[in-house]
């Protein structure tokens, strides 16, 4: 997969902002304007806008404009509601969830006939040193695997794992950095 990416974020909180910073710094996107994000919280949209990212309160706008990947960077209890907005817009973009505990089975039910990936980044993402584990959905391709590695590699390392191990990855990667400091 070559060329610069077009990426969308549904949710633009701290983790999404750190991911955007990595995509911009490593020039995975042509420019900050190649990223579009949505959030219900105006200060999050303002922070993204200050980076040059297109920020909106419309999830549907994100889905219309993001051509390569739509990253669900929301709390787990919001995923189902977000799925309704995503499914309204026909798109070939890969759907990537970083919502803790939301299984591939759930994602595949919420996004039928769409390619989905479950990823668990950790807080060192905020300083460009994340260790992200990911599991691919049943419809994903080798190109999707490379896309995930490219996106998550822009702010750390990304390794594919079996989904059953992602909960352990969450516990270790979420708590592990705290033990170091």
């Amino acid at each position: 997969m070559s060329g610069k990416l077009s990426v969308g974020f549904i949710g633009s909180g701290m983790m999404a902002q750190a991911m955007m910073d990595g995509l911009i710094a490593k020039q995975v996107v042509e420019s900050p304007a190649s990223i579009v994000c949505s959030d219900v919280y105006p200060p999050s949209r303002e922070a993204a806008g200050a980076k040059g990212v297109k920020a909106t309160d419309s999830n549907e706008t994100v889905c219309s404009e993001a051509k390569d990947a739509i990253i669900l960077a929301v709390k787990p209890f919001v995923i189902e509601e977000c799925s309704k907005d995503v499914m309204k817009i026909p798109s070939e973009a890969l759907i990537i969830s970083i919502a803790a505990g939301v299984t591939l089975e759930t994602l595949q039910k919420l996004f039928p006939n769409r390619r989905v990936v479950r990823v668990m980044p950790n807080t060192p993402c905020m300083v460009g040193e994340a260790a992200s584990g990911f599991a691919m959905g049943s419809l994903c391709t080798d190109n999707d695997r490379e896309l995930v590695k490219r996106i998550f590699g822009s702010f750390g390392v990304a390794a594919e794992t079996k989904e059953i191990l992602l909960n352990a990855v969450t516990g270790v990667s979420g708590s592990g950095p705290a033990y170091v400091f």
Side-chain angles (χ1 to χ4, degrees), residues 106-171:
T106 298
L107 293 169
Q108 290 174 147
K109 284 180 184 173
L110 292 172
F111 303 100
N113 302 312
R114 300 287 288 273
R115 299 170 350 269
V116 297
V117 179
R118 180 179 172 200
V119 183
M120 280 289 48
N122 60 356
T123 55
C125 166
M126 296 178 189
V127 292
E129 297 293 335
S132 303
F134 67 93
M136 309 290 286
S138 61
L139 298 177
C140 289
T141 66
D142 288 339
N143 284 341
D144 295 332
R145 179 176 291 107
E146 293 309 310
L147 177 60
V148 171
K149 288 179 180 179
R150 188 169 171 203
I151 290 171
F152 287 82
S154 72
F155 47 83
V157 296
E160 185 173 6
T161 186
K162 294 179 180 174
E163 184 182 24
I164 196 161
L165 299 176
L166 278 181
N167 289 336
V169 168
T170 302

Side-chain angles (χ1 to χ4, degrees), residues 4-7 20 23-36 51-54:
K4 304 292 183 175
L5 300 180
S6 166
V7 179
M20 290 176 210
L23 291 169
I24 294 165
K26 298 289 173 125
Q27 298 179 347
V28 174
V29 293
E30 182 72 33
S31 72
S34 299
I35 300 172
V36 59
K51 299 175 194 297
V53 170
K54 180 174 181 181

